[in-house]
Amino acid sequence: MQSIVGEIREINRYPVKSFAGERLETCVIEPYGMLGDRFCAFYDESKEGWWRYFTARNNPKMLTYQAQFINGEIHVRASDGRTFGWDEHLLEEIQSQTKTRITMSSIKASHPQPEHPQLLSVDGASILLITDASLKKLEAAWGHTLDQRRFRGNFVIALRDESLFEGDWIGRQLSIGDVQLQVDSFCERCMVITMDPDSQERDPKLLKKLNQEFELHFGVYASVVKTGEIRIGDKVELMD
């Protein structure tokens, strides 16, 4: 048995951690997640674990660089129009903005692959889902228009019934287009969401409201059960 809970309203891909991403009409889902998503990252080699990733927490200006995954290669555009590949020139560019000595993940320029083949390059699960209902609830609590880019969800789902809550999907599977996903866990948020994606202006009240309304949980992580393609408008079905 399956029940349709909504449809795919937006598809977003973020090839480089903490860089702006790209909007898609369709995407390919591989065993590790979305093709081209979160393949690359910068590192502070003086640290270990999660904290070794050099992100917008360390340098908010990183949000002003847009990354795309085109024909198997990473393309980056700066806000002033300059372009880069995933190479030493981009490393020099980001290094010039910080005193922290950084390195970058190594990928094969001809055919990039995620750093961790069973998951993805830099996060704790494969695919991130958010819903329009949760966005509206948080927007009302915060009192300002809320840009979904703050949450970097791969998919924004428009729910048929806004009383539904994506947290109830944890432990269950979703069918979307050709794809089946296993919903595994909440995404616990940090101060990065307080930064405006365009101006980088911060508002700590947003994180406070998120804690009050959602206990810092916003969106859910899912892993891949069946690969395939997902397109804008595809129905999202909850499988029993």
Side-chain angles (χ1 to χ4, degrees):
M1 295 290 294
Q2 297 179 334
S3 60
I4 297 176
V5 294
E7 66 179 44
I8 298 298
R9 190 180 79 184
E10 292 185 29
I11 302 174
N12 302 297
R13 181 164 61 191
Y14 297 93
V16 179
K17 187 171 180 64
S18 279
F19 280 13
E22 54 186 334
R23 292 275 294 273
L24 305 174
E25 293 294 318
T26 184
C27 67
V28 175
I29 302 298
E30 299 284 7
Y32 51 76
M34 184 186 295
L35 177 66
D37 184 57
R38 292 176 285 180
F39 271 17
C40 304
F42 294 93
Y43 305 128
D44 174 353
E45 292 292 357
S46 69
K47 298 181 179 179
E48 296 181 354
W50 176 260
W51 296 107
R52 77 187 184 108
Y53 294 108
F54 187 84
T55 70
R57 289 192 306 267
N58 314 103
N59 177 19
K61 191 176 179 181
M62 292 174 71
L63 295 172
T64 68
Y65 294 83
Q66 184 184 28
Q68 293 179 290
F69 182 78
I70 303 174
N71 297 325
E73 296 185 353
I74 303 295
H75 296 254
V76 175
R77 179 178 294 274
S79 58
D80 59 8
R82 289 175 299 136
T83 59
F84 301 87
W86 188 253
D87 53 32
E88 66 275 8
H89 301 296
L90 180 61
L91 178 61
E92 291 171 3
E93 171 78 5
I94 303 304
Q95 182 65 78
S96 70
Q97 301 165 15
T98 178
K99 295 180 180 179
T100 301
R101 297 306 303 173
I102 59 174
T103 59
M104 64 199 310
S105 55
S106 175
I107 61 174
K108 295 178 180 179
S110 60
H111 188 62
Q113 292 291 321
E115 187 178 352
H116 303 311
Q118 299 307 313
L119 290 173
L120 61 157
S121 61
V122 293
D123 285 315
S126 297
I127 291 171
L128 181 56
L129 312 171
I130 62 176
T131 67
D132 61 346
S134 289
L135 283 166
K136 290 176 183 177
K137 180 178 178 181
L138 182 56
E139 186 175 69
W142 187 38
H144 302 282
T145 301
L146 190 58
D147 191 324
Q148 60 84 19
R149 290 180 297 161
R150 291 177 183 263
F151 302 97
R152 301 175 74 85
N154 294 120
F155 299 106
V156 179
I157 300 172
L159 295 180
R160 286 192 167 186
D161 180 353
E162 292 190 356
S163 68
L164 295 175
F165 176 50
E166 61 268 27
D168 295 333
W169 303 341
I170 293 175
R172 304 178 69 180
Q173 292 187 7
L174 299 173
S175 174
I176 311 172
D178 306 325
V179 174
Q180 289 183 16
L181 303 177
Q182 170 77 30
V183 182
D184 298 318
S185 64
F186 282 114
C187 177
E188 186 168 340
R189 299 296 179 164
C190 66
M191 56 77 60
V192 171
I193 69 163
T194 68
M195 289 186 282
D196 183 278
D198 295 318
S199 69
Q200 293 79 62
E201 183 178 348
R202 302 189 189 210
D203 186 347
K205 296 187 187 71
L206 177 57
L207 193 63
K208 182 178 180 180
K209 289 296 182 182
L210 181 61
N211 188 32
Q212 292 173 347
E213 298 291 334
F214 294 92
E215 297 181 336
L216 294 181
H217 295 151
F218 197 89
V220 288
Y221 280 126
S223 53
V224 179
V225 176
K226 180 184 175 184
T227 62
E229 293 189 20
I230 294 178
R231 303 166 183 82
I232 293 290
D234 277 351
K235 299 297 185 291
V236 179
E237 299 180 90
L238 185 62
M239 305 173 67
D240 291 329

